[in-house]
């Protein structure tokens, strides 16, 4: 069997998505930790377009972008399917995956900004969470995938663990009090899944890492596409 | 029964585009054709409607995919300044076109619609390659087009002066990346027209507008990409789905005037 390698970074939710999918399907892989402040020549060679993790390398051939990787894994290793078989249900699942990608940026922006920009990001994030609660989770069973997690649960996984870290670091509360009961239940259920629970980065380490990174982002030259300009 | 002659989309447009567009009646080139071309006939009582807006690159992708597979569909022009109850009902989250409504059920987001079309009507003209690695590459580059080409183009026509200079430079760089990926292949998918080609070719109808607004020639900078575009335009599914670039430019002028630019 051709070797599977994953270039990832421990604090990254995108990296975790691929780890969760690989473990769910029981695919053996070699994990290579990347230093986000000092990227390896291999990573830059495998992902010349974005220079980002995660990158899956299968039999020497790279696949980039976490959700593209997940669809690839689902097609090569059909056990424990991530997507439904019915075309309409697949389209629905892909819609929510795209929603997670496009609208999830608002929560990241809370972390990357301050002042007015952060306030706008907070409003966008609340709108996103409301849509998720009312349209995405309404009428669903335990998970987006029914009784078991699927590609949509994995795509939203960062909400279950990373959103709390962002709330703590920035002091901007999104899910509080009695708001978003369905979302809270989903977050709890998601983290209870043993393969997820066993593959989440340590929360304290995350708080320290992201707190430092946030001060760097706010103080230094930082580009949304290229990261820290001096490191490009 | 009289055979309805299929007309090119461009001949139906008025010579001056006055906004907002209010018609929602099916356009004559909507695919309700009675030609003798080999057509995939849907099962009894199947309905297929595309909610669209004529200059939308995203809408064009869906038109191309449906036509590639010879699928009958009803085209419904939408007024984006006064959105119809149907659009708001079918896409309550984004309230945007395109929306494909298949037997009453909506599918939103253009690339998701294209994949849905490919998976539902498997018989003819596969839009994605069969090999999973090639499929991943097709999805990666279609995603690149979404991330880099839409906003890049908008920056070119909507800015001025130094900002526009920067936007032009950036846009050409991004197109050159795609040109590099294309290489010497006839299409992004290799010998066959496919997913990445469908994702990108609608922008060809907007190139004229970018060139006029920013005073440059995309062909001079990316000749191979323009050869590829002209090759795509030889396909009926593409030429019938892309509007006249001059009509798009006139629309852009109107939009700019309304925005006070």
């Amino acid at each position: 069997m051709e070797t599977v390698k994953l270039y990832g970074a421990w604090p990254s939710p995108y990296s975790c998505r691929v780890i969760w999918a690989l473990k769910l399907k029981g695919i053996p892989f070699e994990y290579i930790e990347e230093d986000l402040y000092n990227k390896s020549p291999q990573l830059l060679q495998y992902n010349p377009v974005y220079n980002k993790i995660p990158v899956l390398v299968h039999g020497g051939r790279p696949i980039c972008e976490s959700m593209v990787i997940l669809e690839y894994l689902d097609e090569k290793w059909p056990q424990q399917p991530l997507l439904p078989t019915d075309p309409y249900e697949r389209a629905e699942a892909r819609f929510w995956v795209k929603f997670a990608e496009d609208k999830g940026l608002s929560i990241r922006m809370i972390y990357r900004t301050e002042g007015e920009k952060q306030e706008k990001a907070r409003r966008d994030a609340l709108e996103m969470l409301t849509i998720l609660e009312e349209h995405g989770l309404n009428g669903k069973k335990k998970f987006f995938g029914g009784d078991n997690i699927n590609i949509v649960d994995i795509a939203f996984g960062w909400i279950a663990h990373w959103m709390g870290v962002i709330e703590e670091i920035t002091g901007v509360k999104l899910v509080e009090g009695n708001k978003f009961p369905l979302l809270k239940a989903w977050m709890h259920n998601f983290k209870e899944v043993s393969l997820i629970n066993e593959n989440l980065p340590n929360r304290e380490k995350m708080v320290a890492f992201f707190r430092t990174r946030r001060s760097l982002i706010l103080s230094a030259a930082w580009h949304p596409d290229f990261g820290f300009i001096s490191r490009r | 029964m009289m055979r309805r002659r299929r007309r090119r989309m461009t001949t139906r447009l008025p010579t001056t585009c006055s906004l907002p567009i209010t018609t929602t009646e099916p356009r004559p080139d909507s695919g309700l054709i009675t030609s003798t071309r080999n057509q995939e006939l849907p099962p009894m009582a199947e309905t297929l409607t595309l909610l669209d807006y004529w200059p939308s690159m995203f809408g064009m992708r869906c038109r191309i995919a449906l036509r590639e597979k010879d699928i009958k569909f009803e085209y419904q022009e939408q007024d984006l300044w006064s959105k119809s109850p149907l659009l708001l009902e079918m896409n309550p989250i984004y309230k945007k076109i395109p929306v494909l409504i298949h037997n009453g059920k909506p599918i939103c987001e253009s690339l998701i619609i294209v994949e849905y079309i490919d998976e539902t009507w498997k018989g003819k003209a596969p839009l994605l390659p069969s090999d999973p690695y090639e499929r991943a590459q097709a999805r990666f580059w279609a995603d690149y087009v979404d991330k880099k080409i839409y906003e890049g183009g908008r920056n070119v026509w909507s800015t001025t002066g130094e900002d526009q200079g920067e936007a032009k430079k950036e846009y050409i760089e991004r197109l050159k990346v795609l040109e590099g990926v294309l290489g010497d292949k006839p299409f992004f998918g290799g010998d066959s027209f496919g997913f990445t080609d469908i994702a990108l070719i609608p922008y060809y109808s907007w190139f004229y507008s970018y060139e006029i607004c920013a005073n440059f020639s995309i062909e001079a900078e990316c000749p191979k990409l323009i050869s590829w575009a002209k090759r795509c335009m030889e396909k009926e599914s593409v030429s019938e789905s892309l509007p006249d670039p001059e009509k798009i430019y006139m629309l852009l002028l109107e939009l700019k005037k309304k925005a006070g630019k």
Side-chain angles (χ1 to χ4, degrees):
Chain A
M1 201 191 65
E2 290 172 313
T3 54
V4 176
K5 289 187 186 179
L6 174 64
Y7 289 79
W10 71 265
S12 162
Y14 302 99
S15 185
C16 279
R17 283 169 169 176
V18 183
I19 292 172
W20 296 334
L22 287 163
K23 298 223 168 193
L24 185 69
K25 288 179 176 283
I27 302 165
F29 67 100
E30 181 193 339
Y31 177 79
I32 296 121
E33 180 71 35
E34 278 286 331
D35 177 357
L36 296 178
Y37 297 106
N38 191 16
K39 292 173 182 177
S40 72
Q42 286 87 356
L43 177 64
L44 303 183
Q45 177 205 329
Y46 283 135
N47 192 353
V49 177
Y50 298 119
N51 296 156
K52 284 182 177 177
I53 57 92
V55 177
L56 189 88
V57 181
H58 184 206
R61 298 195 297 184
I63 301 114
C64 309
E65 294 299 292
S66 58
M67 298 320 296
V68 174
I69 294 171
L70 258 57
E71 290 231 25
Y72 174 78
L73 291 176
D74 212 34
E75 288 174 6
K76 286 296 272 192
W77 288 272
Q79 69 271 25
Q80 306 299 323
L82 299 175
L83 275 159
T85 45
D86 172 68
Y88 188 77
E89 288 173 26
R90 289 164 74 86
E92 263 190 325
R94 286 177 176 137
F95 175 88
W96 285 108
V97 165
K98 189 160 198 294
F99 182 85
E101 295 294 81
D102 293 346
K103 297 297 184 178
L105 286 173
S106 57
I107 297 188
R108 279 169 75 187
M109 287 313 283
I110 292 175
Y111 159 74
R112 287 176 181 173
T113 57
E114 52 191 348
E116 248 181 66
K117 280 188 180 165
Q118 190 184 59
E119 178 49 37
K120 176 169 188 311
R122 189 189 73 90
R123 287 195 303 268
D124 290 343
L126 282 172
E127 194 188 309
M128 178 217 131
L129 293 172
T130 305
I131 291 174
L132 192 56
E133 177 86 10
E134 291 174 7
H135 292 267
L137 287 163
N138 198 16
K140 285 282 183 297
K141 292 163 101 171
K142 204 169 166 194
F143 300 112
F144 286 97
D147 294 320
N148 299 304
I149 61 170
N150 76 353
I151 201 172
V152 181
D153 299 282
I154 292 178
F156 280 113
W158 57 269
I159 290 184
H161 195 56
W162 281 258
M163 187 172 67
V165 171
I166 290 172
E167 285 178 312
E168 183 176 326
I169 291 169
T170 59
V172 174
K173 294 284 174 225
L174 293 167
V175 177
E176 51 185 344
N178 296 326
K179 284 200 268 183
F180 308 117
L182 295 177
L183 182 62
K184 279 210 250 241
W186 174 83
M187 282 163 58
H188 171 81
N189 290 333
F190 185 76
K191 286 176 81 165
E192 289 280 288
V193 175
S194 51
L195 97 82
I196 301 294
N197 194 268
E198 290 156 16
N199 291 285
L200 285 171
N202 176 275
R203 198 176 189 283
E204 265 173 40
K205 278 178 79 180
M206 271 172 65
V207 170
F209 176 86
F210 284 109
R211 205 189 289 276
T212 310
R213 196 167 169 83
R214 174 171 154 82
S215 3
L216 281 171
I217 286 171
L218 291 176
S219 65
W222 182 84
H223 190 283
D225 289 338
F226 307 131
F228 293 99
I229 300 289
S230 58
R231 296 286 176 181
R232 182 148 197 253
Chain B
M1 189 162 91
M2 245 182 63
R3 249 169 69 171
R4 189 192 270 152
R5 190 169 64 89
R6 189 197 306 130
R7 281 177 274 188
R8 284 180 62 83
M9 183 180 294
T10 54
T11 62
R12 283 291 299 175
L13 293 167
T15 51
T16 54
C17 289
S18 54
L19 295 167
I21 294 169
T22 54
T23 178
T24 55
E25 62 187 343
R27 298 168 62 86
D29 63 323
S30 61
L32 294 170
I33 52 174
T34 55
S35 77
T36 52
R37 251 177 356 151
N38 205 13
Q39 257 184 30
E40 184 155 332
L41 289 171
M44 285 277 274
E46 188 164 52
T47 58
L48 196 59
T49 304
L50 180 66
L51 303 184
D52 202 345
Y53 174 54
W54 69 270
S56 161
M57 305 89 158
F58 305 103
M60 289 176 219
R61 289 166 169 178
C62 306
R63 294 170 224 165
I64 294 168
L66 288 163
R67 289 180 170 130
E68 272 290 291
K69 297 211 179 239
D70 269 336
I71 299 164
K72 260 188 181 183
F73 67 100
E74 183 204 352
Y75 178 102
Q76 273 198 26
E77 186 70 31
Q78 298 298 296
D79 176 356
L80 301 187
W81 287 263
S82 176
K83 291 177 180 177
S84 68
L86 181 63
L87 176 59
L88 298 178
E89 183 198 338
M90 291 289 137
N91 192 352
I93 289 170
Y94 292 116
K95 307 176 177 51
K96 284 182 176 179
I97 57 93
V99 180
L100 185 73
I101 311 172
H102 187 198
N103 295 332
K105 297 204 293 191
I107 303 105
C108 307
E109 298 297 301
S110 59
L111 293 178
I112 295 174
I113 293 171
V114 173
E115 285 219 52
Y116 175 80
I117 290 167
D118 202 35
E119 289 174 1
T120 306
W121 288 275
K122 290 193 212 268
K124 180 182 168 155
L127 305 176
L128 273 140
S130 49
D131 172 65
Y133 183 76
E134 299 303 326
R135 290 162 78 85
Q137 297 311 303
R139 288 184 180 123
F140 175 87
W141 288 111
D143 178 64
Y144 178 89
V145 173
D146 269 355
K147 284 183 161 88
K148 301 286 188 183
I149 303 299
Y150 176 72
E151 207 179 292
R154 199 177 55 187
N155 290 342
V156 169
W157 70 254
S158 64
T159 54
T160 51
E162 220 177 276
D163 286 341
Q164 192 178 57
E166 273 306 307
K168 241 191 323 189
K169 196 163 143 260
E170 178 101 42
Y171 192 62
I172 291 293
E173 262 173 40
R174 294 173 182 190
L175 290 179
K176 284 193 157 131
V177 168
L178 288 167
E179 210 180 33
V181 173
L182 178 68
D184 292 319
K185 304 194 295 288
F187 301 106
F188 281 90
D191 289 327
S192 321
F193 178 80
F195 195 66
T196 310
D197 304 281
I198 293 175
L200 182 61
I201 191 60
Y203 289 88
Y204 182 59
S205 63
W206 279 78
F207 281 177
Y208 175 74
S209 296
Y210 302 153
E211 288 170 328
I212 301 281
C213 287
N215 191 28
F216 71 128
S217 159
I218 294 177
E219 186 157 16
E221 303 280 352
C222 304
K224 277 188 166 175
L225 199 65
I226 299 302
S227 302
W228 159 83
K230 289 178 180 169
R231 195 175 305 123
C232 291
M233 288 294 287
E234 286 169 11
K235 297 176 69 62
E236 242 177 66
S237 61
V238 177
S239 59
E240 286 180 13
S241 301
L242 265 57
D244 183 347
E246 284 193 31
K247 302 279 192 288
I248 289 181
Y249 179 60
M250 277 165 8
L251 170 70
L252 203 56
L253 289 180
E254 290 249 5
L255 287 172
K256 280 181 150 191
K257 213 183 341 176
K258 279 198 177 244
K261 282 190 177 171

